[in-house]
Amino acid sequence: MFGDYKMHPDSGVNPPYAPAYPVEWECPLRTLEVVTRVDAGKIDALLKDTPFERVNDRVAFRFMLSPGHTLALHSGEMFDLMVTVAVRYQSLFTQTHIFMYCSDPMGICAGRELFGYTKKDTHYAFEETDDGQIRGWVRRRGVPLVDFHFTPDASAPRIPLTDEQTQPGGEIHVRRLPHPEKPATAYADVVYRRTPLRYTAPLPGRIDWTLHASEFDPIAALAPEVLGAHFMTSEVYGGGFAVEDRRLLTRLHP
C-alpha cells in the first residue's frame, strides 16, 4: 500500500509512537496555481501568531492533485488546496500555508501533527480535458468554498509568487500542541520541510473562479485580486527521511 520502497525502521503502520501513520510517501503532482494580490493587513493578521516576516502582498491558491499517492491508494489519488504566502525566517526564504485543505485523513493527520499545517478535511473535483482545461470545486462538509475553471492561454501573464529570480522553497509552520485543561498552547515550535519537486515549465492561462463565503473557512474574505494563473506538473514528489529536508528550527513555548 505504501509504495515500492522500504520504510524507516521507526515508521510504518504501527510505529512505537502515536498517532500511527507512516512518514514516507511518493506520487506525481499536478498543480493549478492562481497567484493573487491580497490586502497586506489581512495577511499580517493571519501571521500574527508566528515569528515569520511577510515578503509581499501576494497569495497563491494551489489546487494540487496527487494521482497514485501512496497514502491514498484506496481512493486512487489525494487532493490539496494550499493557500500560501512567501515568508522569511532566520536565513530561510520559504512559504507558509495560511489555509490548507486535504482530501485524505492520513494526509491531514501527518501534515498537522508533524509539521503544524493548517489542514482541514475537504471534498473536491479536479477534471482535466484533452485541450488542457481544468474544471473543479472544493467543498468542506457540504459547504462550497471554491468553483474554478482554468483555460490555457499562451498570451496570459505568468506571475510568480515573488519578484525574486529564485522563488521561495520549502514550507515553514508553527506547530502547536493544545493544552489538555484549557484553551491554551502547551507546546510550540517552528518546523521546516522541503520535499523534492521538479516542475515542468508553467503553462499560463485564464482562471474563472468563484470563492464562496464561509464563516468557518473564510478564504473568500481575503478578497483576492487575480494576477495570473498557470498549470504545471512534477513526476517527482514525495516525503520521508531519505528524500526530504526536515528541520525543527526553534522551540517557542514553553
Side-chain angles (χ1 to χ4, degrees):
M1 175 178 179
F2 301 106
D4 186 19
Y5 50 79
K6 184 178 180 180
M7 286 186 171
H8 187 276
D10 289 327
S11 178
V13 295
N14 192 31
Y17 52 81
Y21 52 75
V23 293
E24 285 85 6
W25 52 272
E26 61 184 20
C27 59
L29 183 63
R30 308 182 69 77
T31 300
L32 169 60
E33 181 171 71
V34 183
V35 178
T36 71
R37 179 183 291 119
V38 170
D39 179 85
K42 295 181 178 181
I43 301 174
D44 290 340
L46 290 165
L47 296 179
K48 67 181 178 62
D49 294 322
T50 78
F52 309 147
E53 175 191 354
R54 174 177 53 81
V55 170
N56 57 21
D57 60 357
R58 295 180 192 173
V59 175
F61 288 71
R62 294 175 180 152
F63 303 87
M64 304 169 65
L65 188 72
S66 303
H69 198 297
T70 53
L71 300 187
L73 289 184
H74 61 288
S75 59
E77 61 190 27
M78 188 184 295
F79 172 84
D80 292 280
L81 167 57
M82 299 183 181
V83 184
T84 303
V85 298
V87 296
R88 297 185 188 276
Y89 181 70
Q90 297 178 353
S91 63
L92 292 168
F93 180 42
T94 182
Q95 306 162 94
T96 192
H97 310 312
I98 53 178
F99 294 96
M100 190 173 179
Y101 301 90
C102 181
S103 65
D104 185 77
M106 193 173 287
I108 295 169
C109 181
R112 288 178 64 164
E113 303 304 324
L114 281 176
F115 302 109
Y117 286 175
T118 54
K119 283 190 176 187
K120 296 180 179 181
D121 55 299
T122 195
H123 291 88
Y124 70 97
F126 190 102
E127 300 171 355
E128 301 179 52
T129 59
D130 291 341
D131 60 0
Q133 295 187 57
I134 303 172
R135 294 180 183 271
W137 47 260
V138 180
R139 299 172 187 159
R140 183 164 185 262
R141 303 185 180 185
V143 177
L145 300 183
V146 189
D147 294 284
F148 60 91
H149 177 202
F150 172 80
T151 305
D153 183 346
S155 67
R158 179 359 193 149
I159 307 296
L161 184 56
T162 75
D163 289 329
E164 281 78 2
Q165 184 174 359
T166 301
Q167 292 299 296
E171 306 156 279
I172 195 169
H173 289 273
V174 175
R175 181 179 60 163
R176 295 181 179 88
L177 178 68
H179 199 286
E181 296 178 336
K182 55 187 176 181
T185 298
Y187 174 84
D189 56 27
V190 177
V191 178
Y192 172 80
R193 76 185 302 202
R194 186 164 187 163
T195 54
L197 281 170
R198 289 201 294 267
Y199 270 128
T200 56
L203 174 67
R206 308 287 178 179
I207 190 73
D208 179 17
W209 70 347
T210 300
L211 301 181
H212 300 281
S214 170
E215 180 180 359
F216 299 104
D217 298 280
I219 59 175
L222 294 173
E225 173 195 352
V226 173
L227 302 177
H230 52 268
F231 177 68
M232 49 195 179
T233 67
S234 176
E235 292 301 314
V236 178
Y237 188 42
F241 298 105
V243 299
E244 282 189 75
D245 178 1
R246 294 174 172 224
R247 306 181 213 171
L248 198 163
L249 299 176
T250 309
R251 181 172 175 174
L252 299 176
H253 177 81

mmCIF file of all heavy atoms in Angstrom, residues 5-29:
data_model
loop_
_atom_site.group_PDB
_atom_site.id
_atom_site.type_symbol
_atom_site.label_atom_id
_atom_site.label_comp_id
_atom_site.label_asym_id
_atom_site.label_seq_id
_atom_site.Cartn_x
_atom_site.Cartn_y
_atom_site.Cartn_z
ATOM 1 N N TYR A 5 9.212 0.691 -1.737
ATOM 2 C CA TYR A 5 10.431 1.071 -1.045
ATOM 3 C C TYR A 5 10.319 0.637 0.408
ATOM 4 O O TYR A 5 9.244 0.329 0.908
ATOM 5 C CB TYR A 5 10.677 2.578 -1.132
ATOM 6 C CG TYR A 5 9.488 3.426 -0.740
ATOM 7 C CD1 TYR A 5 9.165 3.657 0.594
ATOM 8 C CD2 TYR A 5 8.672 3.981 -1.719
ATOM 9 C CE1 TYR A 5 8.062 4.427 0.935
ATOM 10 C CE2 TYR A 5 7.567 4.736 -1.371
ATOM 11 C CZ TYR A 5 7.268 4.957 -0.053
ATOM 12 O OH TYR A 5 6.173 5.712 0.285
ATOM 13 N N LYS A 6 11.450 0.597 1.096
ATOM 14 C CA LYS A 6 11.480 0.174 2.489
ATOM 15 C C LYS A 6 11.264 1.374 3.399
ATOM 16 O O LYS A 6 11.927 2.405 3.253
ATOM 17 C CB LYS A 6 12.814 -0.484 2.810
ATOM 18 C CG LYS A 6 12.898 -1.055 4.225
ATOM 19 C CD LYS A 6 14.237 -1.739 4.460
ATOM 20 C CE LYS A 6 14.314 -2.306 5.875
ATOM 21 N NZ LYS A 6 15.624 -2.974 6.112
ATOM 22 N N MET A 7 10.354 1.237 4.349
ATOM 23 C CA MET A 7 10.067 2.329 5.268
ATOM 24 C C MET A 7 11.164 2.460 6.328
ATOM 25 O O MET A 7 11.923 1.533 6.598
ATOM 26 C CB MET A 7 8.723 2.112 5.961
ATOM 27 C CG MET A 7 7.534 2.354 5.055
ATOM 28 S SD MET A 7 5.994 2.251 5.977
ATOM 29 C CE MET A 7 4.877 2.835 4.726
ATOM 30 N N HIS A 8 11.224 3.635 6.919
ATOM 31 C CA HIS A 8 12.121 3.900 8.029
ATOM 32 C C HIS A 8 11.793 2.918 9.166
ATOM 33 O O HIS A 8 10.628 2.606 9.420
ATOM 34 C CB HIS A 8 11.933 5.345 8.491
ATOM 35 C CG HIS A 8 12.919 5.790 9.515
ATOM 36 N ND1 HIS A 8 12.750 5.548 10.855
ATOM 37 C CD2 HIS A 8 14.095 6.463 9.409
ATOM 38 C CE1 HIS A 8 13.761 6.059 11.525
ATOM 39 N NE2 HIS A 8 14.587 6.627 10.673
ATOM 40 N N PRO A 9 12.793 2.397 9.871
ATOM 41 C CA PRO A 9 12.530 1.388 10.914
ATOM 42 C C PRO A 9 11.524 1.824 11.983
ATOM 43 O O PRO A 9 10.803 0.996 12.527
ATOM 44 C CB PRO A 9 13.915 1.165 11.529
ATOM 45 C CG PRO A 9 14.873 1.495 10.432
ATOM 46 C CD PRO A 9 14.233 2.617 9.664
ATOM 47 N N ASP A 10 11.458 3.111 12.297
ATOM 48 C CA ASP A 10 10.519 3.582 13.309
ATOM 49 C C ASP A 10 9.253 4.173 12.702
ATOM 50 O O ASP A 10 8.537 4.941 13.350
ATOM 51 C CB ASP A 10 11.195 4.622 14.212
ATOM 52 C CG ASP A 10 12.229 3.979 15.120
ATOM 53 O OD1 ASP A 10 12.016 2.822 15.530
ATOM 54 O OD2 ASP A 10 13.255 4.626 15.403
ATOM 55 N N SER A 11 8.976 3.838 11.465
ATOM 56 C CA SER A 11 7.778 4.330 10.794
ATOM 57 C C SER A 11 6.839 3.146 10.578
ATOM 58 O O SER A 11 6.755 2.249 11.395
ATOM 59 C CB SER A 11 8.153 5.009 9.477
ATOM 60 O OG SER A 11 7.018 5.441 8.791
ATOM 61 N N GLY A 12 6.125 3.146 9.460
ATOM 62 C CA GLY A 12 5.260 2.021 9.138
ATOM 63 C C GLY A 12 3.864 2.165 9.705
ATOM 64 O O GLY A 12 3.468 3.219 10.182
ATOM 65 N N VAL A 13 3.111 1.073 9.649
ATOM 66 C CA VAL A 13 1.702 1.121 10.010
ATOM 67 C C VAL A 13 1.471 1.044 11.511
ATOM 68 O O VAL A 13 0.385 1.308 11.997
ATOM 69 C CB VAL A 13 0.913 0.004 9.308
ATOM 70 C CG1 VAL A 13 0.911 0.209 7.809
ATOM 71 C CG2 VAL A 13 1.505 -1.368 9.659
ATOM 72 N N ASN A 14 2.493 0.642 12.268
ATOM 73 C CA ASN A 14 2.329 0.553 13.720
ATOM 74 C C ASN A 14 3.631 0.961 14.411
ATOM 75 O O ASN A 14 4.281 0.168 15.085
ATOM 76 C CB ASN A 14 1.941 -0.876 14.128
ATOM 77 C CG ASN A 14 1.487 -0.941 15.574
ATOM 78 O OD1 ASN A 14 0.931 0.031 16.083
ATOM 79 N ND2 ASN A 14 1.726 -2.062 16.225
ATOM 80 N N PRO A 15 4.018 2.236 14.267
ATOM 81 C CA PRO A 15 5.282 2.691 14.848
ATOM 82 C C PRO A 15 5.181 2.809 16.368
ATOM 83 O O PRO A 15 4.082 2.841 16.922
ATOM 84 C CB PRO A 15 5.472 4.075 14.205
ATOM 85 C CG PRO A 15 4.083 4.537 13.924
ATOM 86 C CD PRO A 15 3.303 3.318 13.569
ATOM 87 N N PRO A 16 6.322 2.899 17.064
ATOM 88 C CA PRO A 16 6.308 2.950 18.530
ATOM 89 C C PRO A 16 6.027 4.351 19.062
ATOM 90 O O PRO A 16 6.692 4.815 19.978
ATOM 91 C CB PRO A 16 7.717 2.475 18.895
ATOM 92 C CG PRO A 16 8.565 2.934 17.766
ATOM 93 C CD PRO A 16 7.703 2.789 16.541
ATOM 94 N N TYR A 17 5.087 5.040 18.470
ATOM 95 C CA TYR A 17 4.655 6.354 18.930
ATOM 96 C C TYR A 17 3.261 6.581 18.387
ATOM 97 O O TYR A 17 2.748 5.814 17.583
ATOM 98 C CB TYR A 17 5.607 7.463 18.474
ATOM 99 C CG TYR A 17 5.890 7.461 16.992
ATOM 100 C CD1 TYR A 17 4.998 8.024 16.080
ATOM 101 C CD2 TYR A 17 7.047 6.879 16.480
ATOM 102 C CE1 TYR A 17 5.240 8.017 14.723
ATOM 103 C CE2 TYR A 17 7.301 6.867 15.121
ATOM 104 C CZ TYR A 17 6.398 7.438 14.255
ATOM 105 O OH TYR A 17 6.639 7.422 12.907
ATOM 106 N N ALA A 18 2.607 7.626 18.827
ATOM 107 C CA ALA A 18 1.259 7.946 18.346
ATOM 108 C C ALA A 18 1.289 9.337 17.738
ATOM 109 O O ALA A 18 2.051 10.197 18.173
ATOM 110 C CB ALA A 18 0.263 7.902 19.502
ATOM 111 N N PRO A 19 0.440 9.616 16.735
ATOM 112 C CA PRO A 19 -0.502 8.695 16.094
ATOM 113 C C PRO A 19 0.193 7.764 15.108
ATOM 114 O O PRO A 19 1.317 8.032 14.697
ATOM 115 C CB PRO A 19 -1.470 9.637 15.364
ATOM 116 C CG PRO A 19 -0.643 10.834 15.055
ATOM 117 C CD PRO A 19 0.319 10.997 16.208
ATOM 118 N N ALA A 20 -0.479 6.689 14.760
ATOM 119 C CA ALA A 20 0.128 5.650 13.939
ATOM 120 C C ALA A 20 -0.070 5.944 12.457
ATOM 121 O O ALA A 20 -1.103 5.636 11.888
ATOM 122 C CB ALA A 20 -0.472 4.290 14.288
ATOM 123 N N TYR A 21 0.898 6.577 11.829
ATOM 124 C CA TYR A 21 0.862 6.799 10.386
ATOM 125 C C TYR A 21 2.290 6.753 9.858
ATOM 126 O O TYR A 21 3.252 7.049 10.581
ATOM 127 C CB TYR A 21 0.200 8.129 10.026
ATOM 128 C CG TYR A 21 0.764 9.321 10.762
ATOM 129 C CD1 TYR A 21 1.997 9.862 10.424
ATOM 130 C CD2 TYR A 21 0.068 9.902 11.806
ATOM 131 C CE1 TYR A 21 2.514 10.940 11.096
ATOM 132 C CE2 TYR A 21 0.587 10.992 12.482
ATOM 133 C CZ TYR A 21 1.812 11.508 12.130
ATOM 134 O OH TYR A 21 2.323 12.570 12.804
ATOM 135 N N PRO A 22 2.481 6.424 8.593
ATOM 136 C CA PRO A 22 3.828 6.441 8.015
ATOM 137 C C PRO A 22 4.243 7.868 7.664
ATOM 138 O O PRO A 22 3.413 8.745 7.483
ATOM 139 C CB PRO A 22 3.667 5.599 6.745
ATOM 140 C CG PRO A 22 2.237 5.795 6.366
ATOM 141 C CD PRO A 22 1.473 5.936 7.656
ATOM 142 N N VAL A 23 5.532 8.077 7.603
ATOM 143 C CA VAL A 23 6.039 9.382 7.197
ATOM 144 C C VAL A 23 6.696 9.341 5.828
ATOM 145 O O VAL A 23 7.209 10.343 5.354
ATOM 146 C CB VAL A 23 7.040 9.928 8.239
ATOM 147 C CG1 VAL A 23 6.320 10.227 9.526
ATOM 148 C CG2 VAL A 23 8.174 8.934 8.490
ATOM 149 N N GLU A 24 6.694 8.177 5.174
ATOM 150 C CA GLU A 24 7.204 8.057 3.811
ATOM 151 C C GLU A 24 6.043 7.974 2.823
ATOM 152 O O GLU A 24 5.052 7.304 3.104
ATOM 153 C CB GLU A 24 8.080 6.804 3.667
ATOM 154 C CG GLU A 24 9.453 6.936 4.286
ATOM 155 C CD GLU A 24 9.479 6.617 5.764
ATOM 156 O OE1 GLU A 24 8.439 6.182 6.287
ATOM 157 O OE2 GLU A 24 10.522 6.791 6.393
ATOM 158 N N TRP A 25 6.188 8.626 1.693
ATOM 159 C CA TRP A 25 5.171 8.554 0.652
ATOM 160 C C TRP A 25 5.764 9.063 -0.655
ATOM 161 O O TRP A 25 6.824 9.713 -0.658
ATOM 162 C CB TRP A 25 3.934 9.376 1.020
ATOM 163 C CG TRP A 25 4.235 10.799 1.422
ATOM 164 C CD1 TRP A 25 4.534 11.236 2.670
ATOM 165 C CD2 TRP A 25 4.311 11.945 0.570
ATOM 166 N NE1 TRP A 25 4.777 12.593 2.668
ATOM 167 C CE2 TRP A 25 4.646 13.059 1.387
ATOM 168 C CE3 TRP A 25 4.117 12.143 -0.792
ATOM 169 C CZ2 TRP A 25 4.801 14.343 0.876
ATOM 170 C CZ3 TRP A 25 4.274 13.435 -1.305
ATOM 171 C CH2 TRP A 25 4.607 14.513 -0.471
ATOM 172 N N GLU A 26 5.075 8.774 -1.764
ATOM 173 C CA GLU A 26 5.543 9.255 -3.067
ATOM 174 C C GLU A 26 4.386 9.276 -4.046
ATOM 175 O O GLU A 26 3.392 8.553 -3.884
ATOM 176 C CB GLU A 26 6.675 8.374 -3.595
ATOM 177 C CG GLU A 26 6.284 6.932 -3.814
ATOM 178 C CD GLU A 26 7.458 6.077 -4.246
ATOM 179 O OE1 GLU A 26 8.617 6.467 -4.033
ATOM 180 O OE2 GLU A 26 7.205 4.995 -4.812
ATOM 181 N N CYS A 27 4.522 10.124 -5.085
ATOM 182 C CA CYS A 27 3.487 10.268 -6.116
ATOM 183 C C CYS A 27 3.942 11.326 -7.114
ATOM 184 O O CYS A 27 4.847 12.109 -6.839
ATOM 185 C CB CYS A 27 2.147 10.698 -5.502
ATOM 186 S SG CYS A 27 2.246 12.269 -4.619
ATOM 187 N N PRO A 28 3.306 11.416 -8.272
ATOM 188 C CA PRO A 28 3.449 12.595 -9.127
ATOM 189 C C PRO A 28 2.527 13.708 -8.622
ATOM 190 O O PRO A 28 1.740 13.498 -7.691
ATOM 191 C CB PRO A 28 3.019 12.094 -10.506
ATOM 192 C CG PRO A 28 2.060 10.992 -10.206
ATOM 193 C CD PRO A 28 2.536 10.351 -8.920
ATOM 194 N N LEU A 29 2.622 14.882 -9.230
ATOM 195 C CA LEU A 29 1.845 16.027 -8.766
ATOM 196 C C LEU A 29 1.396 16.865 -9.952
ATOM 197 O O LEU A 29 2.164 17.104 -10.886
ATOM 198 C CB LEU A 29 2.689 16.887 -7.820
ATOM 199 C CG LEU A 29 2.019 18.106 -7.171
ATOM 200 C CD1 LEU A 29 0.865 17.670 -6.275
ATOM 201 C CD2 LEU A 29 3.036 18.905 -6.365
#
